[in-house]
Amino acid sequence: MPDLYLMEHPAALLPARSPELRDLMGLDLRRVARLATGWRPPVVPDQFSVLLEPQAIGQWLAARPGRAAVDIELGPDRQPDMVGVATGPAEAAILALPNPVSLAALMDGLRGREVVVHYGEGLEVEWFLEVGGLGWVVDTTIHDLHKLFHALDPEYASAGRDKGPGGKRGGGSGALAFIQSLYSWRPYHKHLLRLATTFAQKAHYCMLDCVVEWECFTNLLKHIERAAPRSLEAYRRDAVPLLPIMVQMSLKGLRVDTERFAERKAGLALEVGSMGEAL
């Protein structure tokens, strides 16, 4: 019999101010009890496809309406060498070696949908703005999985960056694994990217990322609708429309009226000084 290693549930490490995550810990304990009685999660065969022809991605998406999760992987030249799309918890496709024609077909197929990314400040939203343009972004609802979870529990640190010396740009892998442990039965898979030695293995990893994003977002959305409807309302009202705007600001900067800024700064300095004297 293999050795068993017990890991304390992440929710148990958080302060008492996180009742939602305490509920999740209770849910996971019930899961353990079910497993101990012989129950096993349903096994759904993955339906993963690799699409090479431009018309293939359009046909694939047309047959699968509704929410989609997107993930991009970079090649050695730091340019996208594959785009993964999931339309369910076990159904995904890879657009391999994307070119302008196939990218146009992909963006047309995604236009007007709910599109989920696992980390809003990562590559995907920048890529949407560059390839699809602002018009595409306006027509499409882009969701950030981490921001939705942060709406449920504001103490959650959404960055989850695993960037170190020589590490990749962006982040979110550690945070995705954390959310995955709460909202999916799928085992941890982030190590598979480091182990991938072929294009096919990397494509399989990318599609795993996509289906995990789709499943976690869908299950989290159901949970927050029940547990924190006002937080969900704030997420939809504020975070969703602001996401592409914030990404565009990070790329192009923010126009500042220098004269008004200087006046406001001076006024705030006087106000702080007066408050200090009053104290």
Side-chain angles (χ1 to χ4, degrees):
M1 181 178 178
D3 294 334
L4 296 178
Y5 296 90
L6 296 179
M7 182 180 74
E8 189 166 10
H9 192 282
L13 305 177
L14 296 175
R17 297 189 301 274
S18 300
E20 295 86 359
L21 286 186
R22 290 204 307 276
D23 291 345
L24 287 172
M25 182 171 63
L27 175 62
D28 275 1
L29 290 175
R30 290 194 294 274
R31 285 179 170 182
V32 171
R34 292 171 72 189
L35 289 172
T37 60
W39 181 88
R40 292 294 180 269
V43 177
V44 180
D46 288 330
Q47 301 178 35
F48 290 172
S49 307
V50 177
L51 307 175
L52 298 173
E53 298 298 326
Q55 66 273 19
I57 185 66
Q59 294 169 355
W60 189 88
L61 284 169
R64 297 161 180 82
R67 180 180 300 137
V70 175
D71 186 61
I72 296 175
E73 297 298 331
L74 301 180
D77 59 354
R78 308 302 296 167
Q79 296 298 317
D81 63 353
M82 61 182 68
V83 182
V85 183
T87 55
E91 191 167 27
I94 278 287
L95 176 59
L97 304 174
N99 58 62
V101 177
S102 60
L103 288 178
L106 172 66
M107 300 305 284
D108 286 344
L110 292 174
R111 182 184 291 271
R113 300 188 186 219
E114 284 187 308
V115 177
V116 179
V117 299
H118 77 268
Y119 186 63
E121 282 75 27
L123 296 169
E124 286 77 17
V125 180
E126 292 182 14
W127 186 79
F128 292 153
L129 286 165
E130 182 178 346
V131 177
L134 191 58
W136 183 92
V137 172
V138 169
D139 293 340
T140 307
T141 303
I142 304 174
H143 289 285
D144 181 335
L145 174 60
H146 295 302
K147 283 185 172 57
L148 180 62
F149 191 74
H150 195 267
L152 175 69
D153 185 68
E155 295 173 0
Y156 166 71
S158 62
R161 293 181 179 270
D162 53 3
K163 180 180 177 183
K168 67 177 183 178
R169 175 183 174 274
S173 292
L176 178 61
F178 174 74
I179 295 175
Q180 179 179 348
S181 72
L182 299 174
Y183 291 102
S184 172
W185 281 103
R186 286 185 180 269
Y188 180 81
H189 68 277
K190 303 301 292 186
H191 63 292
L192 296 179
L193 180 59
R194 294 192 300 271
L195 300 177
T197 57
T198 66
F199 190 90
Q201 290 172 338
K202 183 178 177 182
H204 183 76
Y205 161 83
C206 184
M207 287 185 280
L208 281 174
D209 246 14
C210 291
V211 293
V212 166
E213 289 170 26
W214 193 97
E215 182 182 20
C216 289
F217 181 87
T218 301
N219 290 336
L220 171 58
L221 185 62
K222 293 176 182 176
H223 179 214
I224 196 171
E225 283 175 344
R226 181 185 69 256
R230 294 181 65 183
S231 297
L232 178 59
E233 179 185 354
Y235 164 80
R236 286 173 167 158
R237 184 189 65 234
D238 302 329
V240 172
L242 279 175
L243 176 58
I245 296 172
M246 293 175 65
V247 171
Q248 196 169 33
M249 285 169 52
S250 70
L251 297 174
K252 296 185 177 181
L254 177 66
R255 291 183 179 274
V256 176
D257 185 329
T258 54
E259 293 184 1
R260 290 190 62 186
F261 179 78
E263 293 174 2
R264 181 60 175 159
K265 183 177 180 181
L268 286 173
L270 289 174
E271 186 176 345
V272 169
S274 299
M275 292 174 64
E277 292 175 0
L279 291 174

